[in-house]
Each structure stands twice: as C-alpha cells, then as structure tokens.
Amino acid sequence: MSGLRSLSIKALPFADAASDDLPMGQLLRLSLFQVSVGMASVMLLGTLNRVMIVELSVPAMIVAFMIALPVLIAPFRALLGFRSDTYKSSIGWKRVPYIWFGSLWQFGGLAVMPFALLVLGGDVYHDVPFAGQVLAALAFLMTGLGLHMTQTAGLALASDRATEETRPRVVALLYVMFLVGMGISALIIGGLLSNYSDLRLIRVVQGAAVVGVALNLVALWKQEAVRPMSKAERAEPRPLFRDAWNDYASGGQAGRLLACVFVGTMAFNMQDVLLEPYGGEILGLSVSATTLLTALWAVGALAGFIWAGRRLSQGSNAYRLAGGGILAGVWAFSLVIFSAPMQANGLFYAGAALIGFGSGLFAVSTLTAAMTMPSRGNAGRGLALGAWGAAQATAAGAAIAMGGALRDWIGAIAASGAWGEALNTAATGYSFVYHAEIGLLFVTLVILGPLVRQSGPLTQPVEPQRLGLADFPT
C-alpha cells in the first residue's frame, strides 16, 4: 500500500509543489484566485467583445478601446507589487488587503457591466449624451483594476508562502490554474449564451461577478499569517521604487528585452478583439462556437508552457525558444487568413490554438530571460516580474485598440470600392490586421537577434529538474 501511495502521489501533476509551510490543500485553495482572474479575462477579451460587435452592433473601434482600458491599467502592476512588498499594517498583512479590495473592484465592474453594455448598444432609451460610453468605460476600468490587483497580490502571496525549492512549481501551478479557469469558463459561458438574449446576458455576467468574489474569498481565507508590527516598524521609511528600478535597468540588456516583449506582445494581441467577431461575421459561427476559441487558445498556451518548461529544464536558450514562439505565430496568423477564402473552420480553429501556443512560448521564454538577467542593489525577482508584466500589458492594451481601429478604417476604405471589387468584402479589414501582426512578428525577430547572439549556445548542460520554469507571473 505504501508503494502504491507513493506511485499515485508521483503521478499527480505538481505533486511536489507542496511543502510544510504550504500544504497541497491550501495551495489548491489559494490557486482559486487564478480561476477567478481567468474567468474575468474570458468575459473581457472573449465573450463581451463578440456580443458588443455582433449582437449589439457596437462599432469595433469603440469595442477595442473599451477592452483596452483594463489592460492599460496593467503597467501599474509593477508598482502594485512593489507596494504590497513594502506595505505596513498593525497586524502585519501585506497581500490580503490588496486581494480583498481587488476582488471588490472586480465584482463591482462585472455587476454593472451588462446594463452599461445595453445602454451602449442602444437597447435602453436615455437622454444623457455619451452615457453608454462613459458607463461601459467605468465598468471595464473597475474590472481591470480589480483583476490586476488581485492577481499581482495573489501571486506575491503564493511566492511568500512557498519555499525556495518549491516556488517555481507553485507559481507554475498557479499559471496552469489560470489557463484552466479560462478554458472551463469559456465553455460554461459559451453554453449559457448559446441562446442569446439581453436578460440572459445580465444573468451570466452578474453571475460571474458573484462567483469571482466567492472564489477569491475562499482562496485568501487564512492564507497569510498575522504578524503584529510595532509603531516604530510602521514608521520606518519605505524603499523607493525609483531606486529599485534603476538598479534593475543597470544590470544588463533590459531595454532591448523589454522592447522585444513590447513589440512581440503587440503582434500577438492585435487580434484579441477581432478573432471571435471574425468567426461570427466572416465564417458564420454562433456565439458558443466562437467562445470555444478562447478555450482553444488556452489549450495552445498550456502546450506552449509545457514545451517551454521542458526545454528550459534541459538547458535550452530562452531567447531561441522565444524565436520559436514567434515563428509559430507566423504560421498561426497565416492559417487564420486562409480560413476565410477557403471557408475552412478547421483552419480557423487550428490557427487560434497555434496563436495560444506561440504567445505562451514567447511569454514564458522572455520572462525567464528577464528574471535571469543580471541586476544589483534593490532590484530583485519581483521587480523583474513587474517590468515584464508592465511591458507586456501596455503593449496588449495598445494592440487591442489599434487592431479595432485598423479593422474599421481599412474595412471602410474597402467597402467604398476604392481598392476594387476584389477587396470589397467584410474580410478585408480583418485580413489587414492579421497581415500587420505577421509583419510585427518579423520586427520582433530583428530586435531579438542581438540578444540571441549574446546569450550563448543553443543548450547548456544542467541537472534535470521536475519542472524547470521559475516564477511565471500570469
């Protein structure tokens, strides 16, 4: 029986992520905040943009800017993480206040969002100018602020409780739970919205708000120990964020790496607001069928994560792996482009999954490179995590807004007949954006080149590890 018990434990994924300070039961419960964040991400980046563009007939440019608003808050993640590192309270809590208030912001944003969208779409009569745009913008801002605050503090809390030996596997488990939350939520939400109506939209979005705050409450319950602080300790000056950032920037080729992350993230994220409407408008897919795209993206990203973890544990060069993710993205967008003229839904679904694989591989590899970049002074892993997250999230927000604007602009020109009868189709605006993303991917390869040359051989001999990925943030 003891041999069988040992075999079953070893067969479980991430079974060795637990420790005496963070048992498996508490670790799995803590990981529920990632499920909540994944569910909110599906609502913001998947379901709601399809509903606004197709069902509510909101212009794609407005939808793109709405969805970009919560992402543009993300550059403050570095500051949020740094503030939670140095937060001082009488009972010694550093992470719980940020998780709690982040949960409240996320709940409030999702609670009012369906009504704001109905006003934005014109289904609710009102005399207030721009009421729909203002209300929808506030709802998206509240949800985005809560999402980023909850995730940043939750990941920091998990890192605090894990040991040096188990921390890589703990954070890796949290990333997997984020993808699982996205995949399961996409399937459930897509099924609930298969027969769309305004009342059903209100029920589903507000139900997600309630489920999200409940998951976060269960996740943070008794996770952070109470460590009373004296008045003298609370009065001590905090370290300056500026000093820590200067220490990190002086430690290596941080500028080129962050530029690579920025351009590469733009290349992978311009399609975020367009992929589901593309499936609905061009390929004639239903709401539930296009929501499945988010699940396929999550599966592809998980596959990219597993591949990167295996290769990095064997000593592979992180920059070369990032280049592999970029090339996968080129193939992915080519499949999506050809799915329209060929009316091949299979190519479209395969392209969506390959986009997830390429973006996941690129993100894991560049983050690993950022965290292993030399630094000094006050700079540490937390700051590297924040810098990488800030560059990625800022690029994602800009890319989402740019993608929607380009689709509307190019589509309007093509519909006017200025480019001839062959391009006078609804697919022209979408196709232009996908071609632009392929171009940005090649620009990313150009930026990445010097980092590859300076980073050494393809592989380096290392001792094999169970999971060789350290501290993946999101």
Side-chain angles (χ1 to χ4, degrees), residues 207-222:
V210 174
V211 172
V213 75
L215 288 174
N216 290 340
L217 277 174
V218 175
L220 65 84
W221 184 256
K222 293 186 177 181

Side-chain angles (χ1 to χ4, degrees), residues 31 58 71 78 84 91 99 123 251 271 279 339 353 366 374 425 437 444 473-474:
S31 68
V58 178
V71 183
S84 68
I91 58 177
I99 299 175
D123 290 355
Q271 52 76 34
S339 66
T366 53
T425 65
E437 290 182 289
T444 308
T474 175

